[in-house]
Amino acid sequence: MSKNKKLSLSGGDTTEKFIYKPKDLIWAKMKGFTPWPGMIVDPPLDLLSQQRRANTKCVFFFGSRNFAWIEENNIKPFEGPWKEELAKVSKPAAFRHAMTDIEKYIDDPAEVDEQVNKSCGAPNHATEADFDKIRDGLDSEEIAGEEATADGNNGVVAHVVGSPDEGDGLDVEINADSSASPVPTPAVTTKAAGKRTPKAKSVAATSVKSTKGLAKAAQKRRTSAQHSPSGPSNAKRGKREVSREALQDADEASSTPTGRRRVETDALLASIAAKRAPNAIALLDRPVVTRPEAQVIDMTSRSNTLADREIVPSEQTFGFLGLGMMGSTIVKDLIYTGHKVVVWNRTIDKCQPFAEAGAEVKDTPMDVVEAADIIFCCVSDPKGAKDLVFGNCGVLQLKDLNNKAYVEMSTIDPDTSLDIGEGIKQCNGRYLEAQIHGSRQEAADGMLIILAGGDRSMFEECHSCFKTIAKNTFFLGNIGNACKVNLILQTILGVSLVGLAEALALADRFSISLNDIIDILDLTSMKSTMLLAKGKEMAKGDFNPQQPLSHMQRDLRLVLNMAENLDQSMPVTSITNEVFKHTKRLGYSEHDSSAVFVRSRF
């Protein structure tokens, strides 16, 4: 008799943490088996559709070369002081084959990597056929097998060895001479039924007997499977094997000369398929996402609103850092109204139209600071704003900013604005935060709102610029106040958009015309220019970016961070932020913020 041995991967320092990433070689422990050599990989498509516990990793097992979800507390790095002990625990042929397989991988990973990439590449490159397959549900054989098994067990699906639910439990009694391995082996035992001449019975009695026979067969399989040495195999494949056997048992139990039981079985399967079809079809009913086309600035167009304004350009030279969606529109208006402008952008190609229109192009932000009297900055996030000031070849590389002024127009949080202002002042410069509120079209029409804070004299010197791009300007006092007000306004906008999107999605489910909803909204006291415009975009499915969805989600994140510092509860804003984050994950990051309607609808 062989000696039993206790084996666990949870020994040692319980506070020790390991961070695993794809291609890491590891030891993985599955309930009922010795620690097995494996590798962390991205999950294949069939594993993604399965339920799993929290804090699990997809593991590729050497030797058997299959996949399973394993909890992180059942995983250890392959190299370590425990390697020698784990490698000597068991010496069956399957384990030795797995050790040989991983050693071959260390020497030449090409073969295994090709197999893993072929299996795991599906989630990142899913085709329309893959989505259709999932949407249309499982094949008829699998539907019949699963539902027949569940029906025979009073609604309980037969247990499948090798499923993710087997991943719990660290300490297991194992046989040192056992040949158990993560290779699935069929373990179904059934007794041959003796041939007897069937007696005539009522339909009800026949149906009850069929159900009981099916339940007994499923119970036998479950009992046998619990004692079977199958390992971390593909759970979906194991589920199909059990389902097919359940269907065969159901057919055997119903094959009598009466013919009535066969009819009842067919009716049962048809009823099951009819019940599952609607949910399966709706699983992945989602559109194909296409990236919005890059908007090319038209330097020849003129805004009628801007043409009607009497603007006297300042004699000072204005620098501009960042020619994104808003920055390029603002610079175009400044050039059109006669201001002298010096520009810089990370992508130098974007500077070409402005150079042709009369702007001077510089190679670095520091060069712009040297050439300009007042420098504007308009980039996408707080990190980018800080990099332009404190980074290599940044604004503060020019040690003396005497007679220089810096205007921060990027949407940033108050703390970032205070840091930038402090850095500018230490170099003898002046600082003004000028937050811009509005869309790209409002910028083109010169209809933005300017919220300023900081140096009051700078606010007055920038008057001609602000008059060019904005219909109203507000000076709000100290540094940080303008950032706070702008983020509060963005909170109202974001929450309103999600509410509008969900309301229109509900109307769409009722097959009510979205245009009718918008026309009625226009007649109510709730109407607003923004809601009507975004509602029309949602109804048409036109998400041409006026304010990118990623920018809206960034603003909501900044708002929540600001509220966290004050212990201010904002549950609705938090949920709104999650809705925008999910929409980004669906591929609408660069679309307009009204694309949140897609997430609400699908």
Side-chain angles (χ1 to χ4, degrees):
M1 180 179 292
S2 61
K3 183 179 179 181
N4 288 336
K5 187 173 183 179
K6 195 78 170 179
L7 181 63
S8 172
L9 286 181
S10 60
D13 184 6
T14 57
T15 63
E16 189 175 17
K17 299 290 184 181
F18 298 98
I19 299 176
Y20 301 100
K21 59 183 183 297
K23 302 296 184 182
D24 284 350
L25 299 180
I26 48 92
W27 293 95
K29 178 76 172 67
M30 196 168 189
K31 186 176 181 180
F33 305 96
T34 65
W36 207 266
M39 177 171 62
I40 303 295
V41 296
D42 293 323
L45 182 62
D46 51 357
L47 280 188
L48 285 175
S49 62
Q50 298 176 6
Q51 293 183 353
R52 60 182 184 274
R53 297 174 182 267
N55 299 322
T56 57
K57 295 290 185 181
C58 182
V59 174
F60 169 85
F61 288 92
F62 288 95
S64 60
R65 297 201 174 183
N66 47 26
F67 305 82
W69 292 109
I70 303 295
E71 293 181 358
E72 290 186 2
N73 55 1
N74 285 330
I75 298 175
K76 284 252 185 188
F78 184 76
E79 299 293 341
W82 47 79
K83 177 180 178 182
E84 183 177 355
E85 179 183 357
L86 294 178
K88 292 181 179 180
V89 169
S90 179
K91 294 294 183 180
F95 184 86
R96 291 196 300 270
H97 175 62
M99 292 299 297
T100 303
D101 200 13
I102 193 173
E103 290 172 1
K104 288 182 180 179
Y105 173 79
I106 294 174
D107 294 335
D108 183 14
E111 179 189 356
V112 174
D113 283 347
E114 182 179 359
Q115 179 180 348
V116 171
N117 292 336
K118 183 178 180 180
S119 300
C120 302
N124 297 325
H125 304 284
T127 63
E128 288 300 317
D130 296 325
F131 287 128
D132 291 341
K133 181 179 178 181
I134 298 175
R135 181 191 64 194
D136 294 336
L138 304 175
D139 57 273
S140 59
E141 181 182 49
E142 186 173 0
I143 291 176
E146 289 177 2
E147 295 296 335
T149 304
D151 193 59
N153 287 314
N154 295 325
V156 180
V157 179
H159 178 76
V160 182
V161 176
S163 67
D165 293 336
E166 292 283 348
D168 53 356
L170 296 175
D171 299 326
V172 183
E173 291 286 356
I174 64 168
N175 192 320
D177 297 326
S178 172
S179 61
S181 72
V183 182
T185 58
V188 180
T189 58
T190 58
K191 294 183 179 180
K195 296 184 178 180
R196 294 184 299 175
T197 303
K199 298 180 180 181
K201 294 184 179 180
S202 65
V203 175
T206 302
S207 178
V208 170
K209 184 174 180 180
S210 175
T211 303
K212 288 183 178 179
L214 184 58
K216 289 181 180 179
Q219 180 66 29
K220 288 180 181 180
R221 277 194 308 277
R222 185 162 59 251
T223 303
S224 177
Q226 291 175 348
H227 296 85
S228 173
S230 61
S233 63
N234 186 302
K236 185 173 183 180
R237 182 175 58 197
K239 189 175 182 181
R240 286 195 177 193
E241 291 174 0
V242 175
S243 300
R244 288 169 182 164
E245 292 164 359
L247 183 58
Q248 292 173 2
D249 291 337
D251 290 340
E252 291 173 2
S254 61
S255 58
T256 65
T258 61
R260 285 179 175 269
R261 294 157 79 176
R262 170 66 65 183
V263 173
E264 290 186 359
T265 301
D266 293 341
L268 175 64
L269 295 180
S271 175
I272 290 170
K275 291 179 180 179
R276 293 189 57 160
N279 293 333
I281 291 175
L283 181 60
L284 275 181
D285 187 12
R286 50 185 282 189
V288 177
V289 180
T290 56
R291 295 169 66 93
E293 296 182 0
Q295 299 294 321
V296 179
I297 190 72
D298 183 6
M299 300 299 294
T300 61
S301 63
R302 295 288 188 270
S303 167
N304 294 331
T305 305
L306 189 60
D308 294 338
R309 293 178 184 169
E310 297 180 358
I311 300 173
V312 179
S314 172
E315 296 180 356
Q316 293 179 311
T317 301
F318 295 90
F320 211 96
L321 306 177
L323 298 175
M325 181 180 296
M326 299 296 287
S328 59
T329 306
I330 292 172
V331 171
K332 170 191 167 183
D333 291 343
L334 292 178
I335 294 175
Y336 171 67
T337 53
H339 292 83
K340 184 179 179 181
V341 182
V342 181
V343 299
W344 171 88
N345 190 66
R346 285 190 177 92
T347 307
I348 195 65
D349 294 341
K350 289 188 176 181
C351 298
Q352 185 61 31
F354 302 98
E356 295 174 356
E360 184 179 356
V361 179
K362 295 295 183 180
D363 295 330
T364 66
M366 184 176 63
D367 295 336
V368 174
V369 175
E370 289 179 339
D373 301 311
I374 299 177
I375 302 93
F376 290 88
C377 174
C378 186
V379 292
S380 60
D381 55 25
K383 183 181 181 301
K386 271 192 169 184
D387 288 344
L388 286 184
V389 176
F390 300 102
N392 186 32
C393 297
V395 173
L396 296 186
Q397 294 300 311
L398 191 66
K399 300 302 181 182
D400 188 5
L401 296 179
N402 190 27
N403 297 324
K404 303 286 185 181
Y406 191 80
V407 181
E408 184 60 77
M409 304 186 81
S410 310
T411 300
I412 57 176
D413 57 284
D415 291 340
T416 299
S417 184
L418 288 170
D419 291 342
I420 294 175
E422 185 66 24
I424 296 295
K425 290 178 181 178
Q426 287 181 357
C427 292
N428 302 319
R430 295 178 297 160
Y431 177 72
L432 178 74
E433 61 180 18
Q435 301 291 281
I436 51 179
H437 186 80
S439 64
R440 182 185 65 180
Q441 186 58 48
E442 289 173 329
D445 295 337
M447 299 297 287
L448 296 172
I449 301 293
I450 298 293
L451 309 171
D455 193 309
R456 182 63 186 246
S457 63
M458 277 188 62
F459 179 73
E460 300 295 340
E461 292 178 16
C462 296
H463 175 73
S464 65
C465 295
F466 293 158
K467 187 176 180 180
T468 299
I469 63 176
K471 61 179 179 180
N472 292 104
T473 59
F474 297 89
F475 184 79
L476 301 174
N478 297 329
I479 296 173
N481 289 347
C483 295
K484 296 172 185 176
V485 173
N486 185 47
L487 291 176
I488 290 171
L489 294 175
Q490 289 297 96
T491 303
I492 299 172
L493 176 59
V495 172
S496 300
L497 279 177
V498 171
L500 176 65
E502 292 188 351
L504 292 182
L506 179 61
D508 184 65
R509 290 296 299 272
F510 281 128
S511 298
I512 299 175
S513 171
L514 300 188
N515 291 323
D516 289 347
I517 296 292
I518 295 168
D519 291 341
I520 296 171
L521 177 64
D522 191 20
L523 301 175
T524 68
S525 58
M526 298 181 294
K527 70 175 182 180
S528 73
T529 303
M530 185 276 296
L531 288 179
L532 293 174
K534 295 301 181 183
K536 291 176 182 178
E537 292 174 3
M538 294 177 187
K540 293 188 298 183
D542 178 15
F543 306 126
N544 185 35
Q546 296 293 326
Q547 183 181 37
L549 187 139
S550 59
H551 291 187
M552 175 59 69
Q553 193 274 320
R554 169 208 64 196
D555 296 345
L556 293 172
R557 173 173 51 84
L558 295 178
V559 167
L560 293 173
N561 291 339
M562 189 169 62
E564 179 69 19
N565 295 333
L566 300 173
D567 291 330
Q568 173 65 40
S569 175
M570 301 187 73
V572 176
T573 305
S574 180
I575 294 173
T576 300
N577 181 49
E578 293 301 318
V579 172
F580 276 101
K581 283 166 61 177
H582 188 196
T583 311
K584 285 176 60 178
R585 289 291 302 273
L586 293 177
Y588 290 89
S589 178
E590 298 179 14
H591 294 70
D592 188 74
S593 54
S594 58
V596 71
F597 173 68
V598 177
R599 187 266 178 195
S600 300
R601 185 179 181 187
F602 295 97

